[in-house]
């Protein structure tokens, strides 16, 4: 950290290293979420660090001068954050206007809310999910965290000044702040909604706890009071606490899924407490963390972490568009290189330039006028390129796929009620059916021949023999999955009317696993369980084991392999292949090979089957079910 307090500058060694760890985690998460599932924890790391640093600066200033110079504080924050943000917003908006016009939706609102630091509040209602992996992702989604920090910087100096002026005991202040942090964490749990996490994830009130934890730490662990000549026993205890906390953070970086319910029911809060321990240990000059995190590479990344954070998602989104979402490792590395180049330019020509101006006298010098002129030119480019047109103020357009999925969901809801009733009726009639099964066998054969015309028509549509069709049409099935299931759901119910389809756009594997457990506990799982999950995130062997345990050995479980171009897909299919060898009642449906052999069965996104593909998709499922 480098900032001005009176006439002195101070620097806490190791903090740039923590910034580097935070931004590296975020970048890897956005590039390879299957590799670092919890890399998004870099944002809470930024939050706790900001809460600590800003509070520590304000306390030191008050101790030295007896007051807090609000104007000076706000000017420093504006110079540090605003110019780079404005340039990134204008550059990204201009790139959208020229090269990615489908992303023009909501652009005006996005620019205004980011410039006024209320973007996170707007995103709770209008924004895309932070964990959305498909479609035309917004290049601005990551900026929600900057809005929360901007709001914090606005009000926090006044609160610190009042607390210090009233001479409230600092331990009491820290206790009060931790109490507020607990309330914030409770609000996160209350507002958590697995079908739409935006309110819990983006809300200022639900994410404030990380900043508050940092502020509480600053009141009881001020950096100015930390002695580099601490006793040996003290150093050992601090280093041990640091190692344990860092090991836990690394573990969470690689394991914590941002869409798990547990994440919002306290795990994110506990992770922020763990981060506070790391920050407290690093702030102490006698610890090894203060030295190990203070090296040339980490300091380089840390000092540019703000610009790196600004440009990473725009670069990733644009390159994904231009390369048609090719996630080859080499492309990922080129993305990182481009982000670092843009961040270096931003750091050298925006951040450092504005950092040199400390007073109003500098506002109208020659260098400043050149910068303002560049801003005006960029605004003119935006205006002439169509960014400020009505299209830029409109909502996100609905694609044909989204329209079809929405319509399918309505159709499925109506049919699900009938299917569930049929399943319940079937359970009651099971004993009677068993008693008369031998007598009805010959009658059934006659019925097949009499109704052969209708049977053959449906069978031909789905490439089934009449025998296969007669086997599957009366099967009771519970189908749980994501948008791919929603796409194929009507075909499944046409072929197997007693199928209950529970599909949801963007559904993660952990949500599907939880749903299976809940339905098993309620006794609403059918005799056949169809899983269409794994498109949106990694499947673990433990999750498959949980599904199989909930289904039990008497049910047949059918799991459709995933055909898509995402880094975690091959791993998911490998997990399913291994699980199929372990469980006799688990049957893997090889959709990936079928889709590879027939790319014409896939829609434009190369993930969801088109109309013809849905028929073929359903056919594969039916053929597998008919075998058992």
């Amino acid at each position: 950290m480098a900032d001005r307090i009176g006439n002195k500058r101070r620097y806490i060694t190791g903090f740039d290293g923590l910034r580097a760890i935070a931004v590296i985690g975020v970048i890897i998460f956005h590039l390879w979420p299957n590799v670092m599932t919890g890399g998004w924890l870099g944002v809470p790391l930024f939050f706790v660090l900001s809460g600590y640093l800003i509070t520590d600066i304000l306390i030191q200033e008050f101790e030295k001068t007896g007051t807090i110079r609000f104007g000076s504080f706000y000017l420093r924050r504006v110079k540090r954050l605003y110019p780079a943000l404005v340039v990134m917003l204008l550059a990204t908006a201009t790139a959208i206007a020229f090269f990615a016009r489908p992303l023009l939706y909501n652009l005006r609102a996005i620019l205004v809310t980011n410039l006024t630091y209320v973007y996170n509040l707007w995103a709770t209602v209008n924004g895309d999910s932070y964990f959305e992996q498909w479609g035309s992702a917004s290049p601005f989604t990551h900026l929600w965290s900057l809005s929360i920090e901007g709001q914090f910087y606005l009000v926090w100096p006044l609160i610190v000044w009042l607390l210090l002026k009233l001479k409230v005991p600092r331990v009491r202040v820290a206790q009060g702040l931790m109490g507020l942090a607990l309330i914030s964490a409770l609000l996160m749990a209350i507002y958590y909604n697995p079908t739409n996490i935006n309110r819990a994830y983006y809300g200022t009130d639900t994410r404030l706890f990380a900043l508050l934890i940092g502020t509480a730490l600053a009141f009881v662990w001020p950096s100015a009071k930390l002695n580099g000549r601490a006793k040996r026993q003290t150093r050992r205890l601090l280093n041990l606490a640091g190692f344990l906390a860092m090991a836990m953070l690394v573990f969470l970086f690689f394991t914590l899924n941002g869409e798990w319910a547990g994440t919002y029911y306290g795990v994110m809060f506990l992770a922020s407490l763990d981060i506070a321990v790391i920050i407290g240990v690093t702030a102490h000059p006698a610890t090894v963390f203060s030295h190990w995190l203070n090296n040339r590479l980490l300091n380089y990344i840390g000092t540019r972490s703000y610009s790196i954070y600004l440009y990473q998602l725009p670069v990733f989104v644009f390159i994904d568009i231009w390369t048609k979402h090719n996630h080859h490792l080499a492309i990922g590395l080129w993305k990182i290189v481009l982000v670092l180049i843009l961040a270096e330019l931003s750091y050298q020509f925006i951040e450092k330039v504005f950092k040199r101006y400390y007073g109003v006298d500098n506002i109208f010098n020659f260098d400043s006028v050149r910068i303002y002129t560049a801003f005006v030119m960029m605004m003119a480019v935006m205006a002439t390129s169509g960014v400020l047109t009505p299209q830029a103020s409109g909502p996100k357009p609905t694609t044909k796929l989204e329209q079809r999925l929405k319509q399918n969901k309505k159709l499925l809801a109506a049919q699900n009620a009938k299917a569930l009733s049929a399943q319940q009726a079937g359970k009651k009639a099971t004993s009677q059916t068993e008693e008369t099964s031998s007598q009805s066998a010959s009658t059934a054969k006659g019925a097949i021949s009499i109704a052969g015309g209708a049977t053959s028509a449906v069978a031909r549509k789905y490439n089934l023999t009449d025998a296969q069709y007669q086997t599957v049409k009366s099967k009771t099935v519970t189908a749980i999955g994501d948008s791919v299931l929603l796409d194929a759901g009507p075909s499944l119910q046409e072929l197997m009317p007693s199928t209950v389809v529970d599909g949801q756009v963007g559904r993660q594997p952990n949500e599907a696993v939880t749903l299976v457990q809940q339905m098993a506990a309620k006794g609403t799982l059918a005799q056949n369980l169809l899983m269409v999950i794994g498109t949106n995130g990694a499947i673990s062997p433990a999750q498959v084991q949980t599904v199989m345990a909930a289904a039990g050995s008497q049910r047949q479980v059918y799991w459709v392999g995933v055909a898509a171009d995402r880094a975690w897909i091959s791993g998911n299919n490998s997990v399913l292949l291994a699980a199929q060898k372990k469980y006799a009642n688990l049957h893997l449906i090889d959709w990936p090979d079928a889709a590879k052999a027939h790319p014409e069965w896939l829609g434009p996104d190369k993930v969801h089957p088109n109309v013809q593909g849905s028929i073929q998709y359903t056919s594969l499922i039916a053929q597998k079910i008919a075998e058992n």
Side-chain angles (χ1 to χ4, degrees), residues 111-373:
L111 293 176
V112 171
T113 54
N114 271 294
L115 292 172
T116 54
Y117 285 119
V118 293
Y119 175 65
N120 71 304
L121 303 179
W122 179 88
T124 59
V125 178
N126 305 284
D128 296 327
S129 169
Y130 186 76
F131 300 94
E132 177 62 50
Q133 303 290 348
W134 295 102
S136 299
S138 169
F140 304 104
T141 304
H142 63 308
L143 300 180
W144 68 272
S145 62
L146 303 185
S147 289
I148 290 181
E149 292 211 32
Q151 296 159 28
F152 170 73
Y153 295 147
L154 179 64
V155 302
W156 187 238
L158 299 170
I159 296 174
V160 172
W161 176 83
L162 182 62
L163 291 171
L164 295 177
K165 205 72 174 175
L166 295 175
K167 298 182 179 180
V168 181
R170 297 189 182 183
V171 173
R172 292 285 181 86
V173 172
Q175 291 172 343
L177 291 171
M178 287 305 299
L180 292 174
L182 282 170
I183 293 173
S184 174
L186 180 61
L187 288 173
M188 169 174 278
I190 291 172
Y191 285 119
Y192 170 70
N193 178 359
T195 63
N196 186 349
I197 65 170
N198 286 7
R199 176 63 182 85
Y201 195 84
Y202 294 137
T204 301
D205 52 352
T206 57
R207 298 305 300 268
L208 191 59
F209 61 81
L211 285 160
L212 291 173
I213 289 171
T215 63
L217 179 65
F219 273 99
V220 296
W221 195 255
S223 64
K225 302 294 176 64
L226 303 178
N227 193 337
R229 295 184 296 276
K231 295 180 180 179
R232 179 182 237 177
Q233 186 65 19
T234 300
R235 292 200 303 270
R236 285 180 175 177
L237 288 174
L238 287 172
N239 288 333
L240 177 61
F243 282 124
L244 292 175
M246 184 63 78
M248 177 57 68
L249 182 61
V250 171
F251 173 76
L252 292 174
F253 261 45
F254 283 97
T255 60
L256 187 58
N257 191 310
E259 294 192 298
W260 285 350
T263 300
Y264 299 87
Y265 290 140
V267 176
M268 198 186 304
F269 177 77
L270 295 175
S272 299
L273 291 176
D274 181 76
I275 289 170
V277 173
I278 296 172
I279 290 172
V281 170
T282 305
H284 201 295
T287 66
V288 295
F289 287 87
S290 176
H291 304 289
W292 288 353
L293 293 174
N294 181 38
N295 61 71
R296 183 172 297 179
L297 176 61
L298 291 180
N299 286 344
Y300 176 86
I301 296 173
T303 54
R304 291 149 178 82
S305 59
Y306 179 58
S307 286
I308 292 173
Y309 186 82
L310 285 177
Y311 283 97
Q312 40 108 14
L313 202 55
V315 168
F316 298 167
V317 168
F318 283 122
I319 291 183
D320 279 347
I321 292 173
W322 297 332
T323 61
K324 300 187 184 301
H325 297 277
N326 187 323
H327 291 269
H328 193 276
L329 176 62
I331 292 179
L333 295 177
W334 275 112
K335 289 178 182 177
I336 294 175
V337 170
L338 183 55
V339 168
L340 292 176
I341 291 173
L342 291 175
E344 181 65 23
L345 293 173
S346 175
Y347 179 74
Q348 295 292 341
F349 298 105
I350 304 297
E351 291 189 58
K352 288 180 70 174
V353 169
F354 277 89
K355 187 178 179 181
R356 290 198 296 266
Y357 302 145
Y358 293 107
V360 177
D361 294 341
N362 300 110
I363 292 178
F364 298 105
N365 66 18
F366 180 68
D367 287 339
S368 299
V369 170
R370 286 192 299 176
I371 294 172
Y372 303 148
T373 302

Side-chain angles (χ1 to χ4, degrees), residues 361-488:
D361 294 341
N362 300 110
I363 292 178
F364 298 105
N365 66 18
F366 180 68
D367 287 339
S368 299
V369 170
R370 286 192 299 176
I371 294 172
Y372 303 148
T373 302
F375 281 3
V376 171
M377 290 176 64
M378 292 182 73
M379 286 293 293
V381 169
M382 285 204 314
T384 56
S385 61
V387 173
L388 302 181
T389 62
Q391 184 183 355
S393 62
K396 184 177 181 178
T398 304
T399 65
K400 291 182 179 179
L401 172 63
E402 290 170 333
Q403 294 171 2
R404 185 168 74 247
L405 295 180
K406 186 176 181 180
Q407 181 63 28
N408 283 359
K409 195 154 190 173
K410 293 180 181 178
L411 296 173
L412 292 169
Q415 180 62 27
N416 278 346
K418 299 177 183 178
L420 188 57
S421 297
Q423 289 183 9
Q424 297 301 323
K427 289 179 181 179
K428 294 179 182 179
T430 298
S431 59
Q432 299 175 0
T433 302
E434 289 175 350
E435 292 175 2
T436 60
S437 59
S438 60
Q439 299 176 3
S440 60
S442 60
T443 305
K445 291 179 180 178
I448 292 174
S449 61
I450 294 172
T455 300
S456 298
V458 177
R460 284 199 302 271
K461 177 179 179 180
Y462 291 99
N463 300 317
L464 302 177
T465 65
D466 286 348
Q468 287 175 321
Y469 175 64
Q470 290 300 321
T471 299
V472 302
K473 75 171 185 177
S474 59
K475 292 282 189 180
T476 58
V477 180
T478 298
I480 295 174
D482 47 38
S483 58
V484 177
L485 176 61
L486 277 181
D487 201 18

